[in-house]
Amino acid sequence: MNKFANLRIGKKLALLSTAGVLLLAGAVGLSLLALRAVNSASDKSQQESRKMTLATKVDALLSQFPAAMGGLATAKRPGPEVDAVLALRAEYSGVFAQLKSASIVDEDKRLLNNVEQVIVPWRELNNRLMESAKAGNHIDAVTVRRESLARFGAVRTAFGEYLAYCQKNTDEIDRQRQALTSRITYILLGFGLVALPAAILASIILTRSIAGPLALSEQDLDQVAGGDVSRD
């Protein structure tokens, strides 16, 4: 007679439970790694999106300066026009400072430094025009427009390079995020396709290894119950 102690059912059930726990732990580990990678990619995407938003706002503010300075050159009483230019400059400076704070990469800083360098002569020209207007001096509107547009063009060119750089980074990060999402999806799907059949197969094998000896033991018990005491 086969003894129940020799069946080692407890060990086999423990093995099955351990395999299930390991599969579950693997799935959880992969999910956590995937979540961490996606969150990291999302953070980068949000950072680039914020920079792009600030850069677009700076570009829009820069576009308002030529009209504001043009009105200053033709104004008979330039006080309100000067105030408008100063208010526009203050708003621009605040947004530009936020943009610099959000730009932590060396290339970002280099391009923004280029913008600041070409802004200096343009700002100096605007300062002279405002001082002349407040002093009541005659301003040649044609000359002012020509000089202002020339220096403003250099500013727009420099900032246009930064805008193009931001757009390129935004597009690249979005592409990487989409590729990462697809890769993680395939990995999790592949893990599921391998783990599920493996779990089913292991369960079948262990069930048979337990059920077989149990069936033999049941037969031995039936024979003993029938009077055959020769079974061990």
Side-chain angles (χ1 to χ4, degrees):
M1 175 180 176
N2 294 322
K3 296 181 179 180
F4 282 103
N6 293 332
L7 299 179
R8 300 177 181 177
I9 297 176
K11 291 184 178 181
K12 293 178 180 180
L13 290 175
L15 180 61
L16 181 60
S17 299
T18 301
V21 170
L22 290 177
L23 287 175
L24 181 60
V28 172
L30 282 176
S31 298
L32 291 176
L33 289 175
L35 181 61
R36 182 177 180 181
V38 170
N39 286 338
S40 177
S42 296
D43 289 342
K44 290 181 180 180
S45 180
Q46 291 177 1
Q47 182 181 7
E48 287 300 321
S49 179
R50 180 172 181 269
K51 283 166 49 181
M52 194 66 194
T53 299
L54 291 171
T56 302
K57 189 172 183 179
V58 168
D59 187 60
L61 291 172
L62 285 174
S63 300
Q64 299 178 36
F65 275 97
M69 294 306 300
L72 178 65
T74 58
K76 294 181 179 180
R77 294 182 179 179
E81 282 75 12
V82 170
D83 291 340
V85 171
L86 292 177
L88 184 60
R89 180 181 290 180
E91 185 178 3
Y92 157 81
S93 298
V95 179
F96 192 83
Q98 294 180 46
L99 182 59
K100 287 185 65 177
S101 177
S103 301
I104 58 177
V105 180
D106 290 340
E107 184 64 12
D108 283 328
K109 296 178 181 179
R110 185 187 70 81
L111 291 172
L112 289 178
N113 285 335
N114 290 343
V115 173
E116 288 185 307
Q117 290 176 6
V118 297
I119 279 179
V120 171
W122 179 52
R123 183 187 295 120
E124 291 176 348
L125 173 63
N126 291 341
N127 289 339
R128 291 198 303 270
L129 291 175
M130 287 189 289
E131 291 173 0
S132 296
K134 288 190 294 184
N137 298 330
H138 172 72
I139 299 177
D140 187 346
V142 176
T143 302
V144 167
R145 178 178 176 79
R146 183 175 62 250
E147 293 181 1
S148 181
L149 286 178
R151 298 185 184 185
F152 178 70
V155 173
R156 291 303 298 270
T157 299
F159 198 75
E161 292 178 358
Y162 179 77
L163 273 175
Y165 167 78
C166 286
Q167 186 62 59
K168 180 181 178 181
N169 279 353
T170 300
D171 294 341
E172 178 62 20
I173 288 177
D174 286 342
R175 186 193 65 79
Q176 291 178 359
R177 182 170 57 85
Q178 292 174 2
L180 176 63
T181 302
S182 298
R183 187 162 59 250
I184 289 174
T185 300
Y186 289 138
I187 290 174
L188 292 176
L189 182 61
F191 179 82
L193 291 175
V194 172
L196 183 59
I200 293 174
L201 180 61
S203 177
I204 292 174
I205 293 174
L206 287 175
T207 299
R208 289 180 176 178
S209 68
I210 293 173
L214 281 176
L216 292 176
S217 298
E218 184 180 0
Q219 293 177 4
D220 290 341
L221 288 174
D222 289 341
Q223 292 177 358
V224 170
D228 185 359
V229 294
S230 63
R231 298 285 181 174
D232 185 9

